[in-house]
Amino acid sequence: MILSRRRGAALGALCALALMVGACSNETSGSGGASSGPRTEPSLSFVGPGGETPTAADQLSLTPEERQKVKDGEYSAAFVWHEGSALTKAVESGVRKEFDQLGIKVLASTSAEFDAARQANNVQTVLALKPDLIVTIAVDPTAAAAAFKPAVDAGVKLVVMTTPPKGYKSGEQIVGIVTADLTAFGKANAEMLGKALGGKGKVGYVYHDADFWFTNQRDKAFKDWLGYLYPDIEIVEEAGFSDPARTEDIATAMLTRHADLKGVYVAWATAAEGVLAATRQQGRTDVKIVTNDLEANLAADMVKGGNVAGVVANGSTRLGENLGIVAAYGLLGKKAPELVVGSPMAATKDNIADAWRDDYGQEPPAEVLGN
């Protein structure tokens, strides 16, 4: 994160993740043969929400002595999540795996269901249990700055997935941020769509139209890499959305205006569901879709050879394990990287089982495999 899929102000928080997504509605669209992107090789670098420099997850390490010191501390933790999706559960399973090895006891796990006020109440609930650390992702960064201040004041270590409270800095109010490699998401999507289209054709670009660093950089990376790798693929229409529930209408209009459209990029899986529904309703089996955040319905369509050509998965369980290690850094007083990024995995029909295991830490369900 990666990353992996809002209501009101929550849309400004995550979306993603992927999870990570929600509401208001301020959709915009444009057409007329938009350029796919630059013809010079795009950069694979990016920065975090506060300008943090990414560090690869494989640079994290704990010595045996450090692990034992954490165990001896008999620490406790709580999860204060933004929502309770399958992706979040997979991330939590990865954190719990690492916590089990470190002897960190989990006291509670809460979900705000993209409600900033509810998340603030959840913070108070878990603080009453006196945890040593909290693993979280802000529903709304501005509201979260006030909501988590009591935890900071109490000396509770905060470890953040993707979206921190506004103004919170790694090494200060939070231990660090853990997410997925955003430009790698974009490049992988470009490669999958380019391959599915044989390197040429007209496509639509359905992006997240909100000021959110994670999805904005991921969307831009797709556009840049598509233009660089596949100059014969033309983005003929761009459409922004803030509410993923509106993407079916957006895609329906796009398909109606462009009878020769052959592909669509969508910012994340929940939004891609609407695009998939629109292609099915219009009988457009020739239109290929790529997106981010592996989920069952899209994966099943992909395995069946449907419209979905590929989905970039977040490596959610690995992301969770990285959160667990960064938490240990905080408990030890060891300086953590300000932004830790793990590598996503491009999931296609050919490697869906491996991608599902990497993302969720378990075998894919029967409905995904078509059994």
Side-chain angles (χ1 to χ4, degrees), residues 77-365:
F79 297 101
V80 180
W81 294 121
H82 59 311
E83 50 85 44
S85 70
L87 184 147
T88 304
K89 290 180 173 64
V91 172
E92 182 173 321
S93 73
V95 183
R96 284 178 178 267
K97 177 181 176 182
E98 192 64 36
F99 281 179
D100 286 345
Q101 296 176 9
L102 292 167
I104 298 172
K105 181 180 179 181
V106 175
L107 301 177
S109 180
T110 67
S111 171
E113 302 308 323
F114 288 118
D115 184 326
R118 184 171 177 177
Q119 186 170 57
N121 289 336
N122 289 343
V123 172
Q124 294 298 325
T125 298
V126 301
L127 283 179
L129 302 175
K130 301 188 181 302
D132 297 294
L133 64 91
I134 291 174
V135 179
T136 190
I137 176 171
V139 168
D140 174 78
T142 300
F148 283 92
K149 188 176 185 301
V152 174
D153 292 344
V156 177
K157 305 296 182 182
L158 298 181
V159 183
V160 174
M161 184 176 81
T162 302
T163 307
K166 187 175 182 178
Y168 283 30
K169 302 296 183 183
S170 296
E172 297 179 17
Q173 295 87 356
I174 62 175
V175 179
I177 303 168
V178 179
T179 191
D181 190 328
L182 304 184
T183 49
F185 274 93
K187 184 179 181 182
N189 269 302
E191 290 171 339
M192 290 190 298
L193 188 59
K195 183 178 179 180
L197 271 56
K200 60 183 179 180
K202 297 179 179 181
V203 303
Y205 173 69
V206 182
Y207 64 95
H208 182 209
D209 189 21
D211 184 14
F212 180 64
W213 77 278
F214 184 90
T215 52
N216 296 160
Q217 294 192 66
R218 194 167 65 175
D219 289 349
K220 182 179 185 300
F222 162 78
K223 190 176 179 181
D224 289 348
W225 279 101
L226 186 73
Y228 173 69
L229 295 171
Y230 301 101
D232 293 328
I233 294 180
E234 180 186 11
I235 295 178
V236 294
E237 182 167 342
E238 302 182 3
F241 70 91
S242 55
D243 180 1
R246 295 284 299 132
T247 55
E248 182 173 353
D249 292 339
I250 290 171
T252 296
M254 186 180 288
L255 291 167
T256 300
R257 283 190 289 265
H258 303 282
D260 54 354
L261 199 74
K262 295 300 180 183
V264 183
Y265 164 83
V266 196
W268 69 82
T270 307
E273 292 277 4
V275 178
L276 178 59
T279 59
R280 288 174 172 174
Q281 186 175 22
Q282 295 198 16
R284 295 294 302 276
T285 58
D286 58 321
V287 177
K288 297 301 179 183
I289 300 168
V290 295
T291 190
N292 301 292
D293 306 337
L294 189 59
E295 68 85 46
N297 187 46
L298 298 182
D301 181 84
M302 181 172 66
V303 170
K304 290 186 298 185
N307 293 92
V308 180
V311 180
V312 184
N314 297 282
S316 302
T317 54
R318 286 185 287 112
L319 193 157
E321 291 169 9
N322 295 333
L323 281 164
I325 295 173
V326 171
Y329 273 57
L331 295 172
L332 291 165
K334 180 178 179 179
K335 182 175 175 56
E338 55 186 6
L339 176 64
V340 175
V341 297
S343 57
M345 184 174 184
T348 64
K349 180 179 180 179
D350 296 331
N351 72 341
I352 184 60
D354 288 340
W356 196 274
R357 284 190 291 266
D358 181 62
D359 211 28
Y360 292 105
Q362 59 189 24
E363 295 299 318

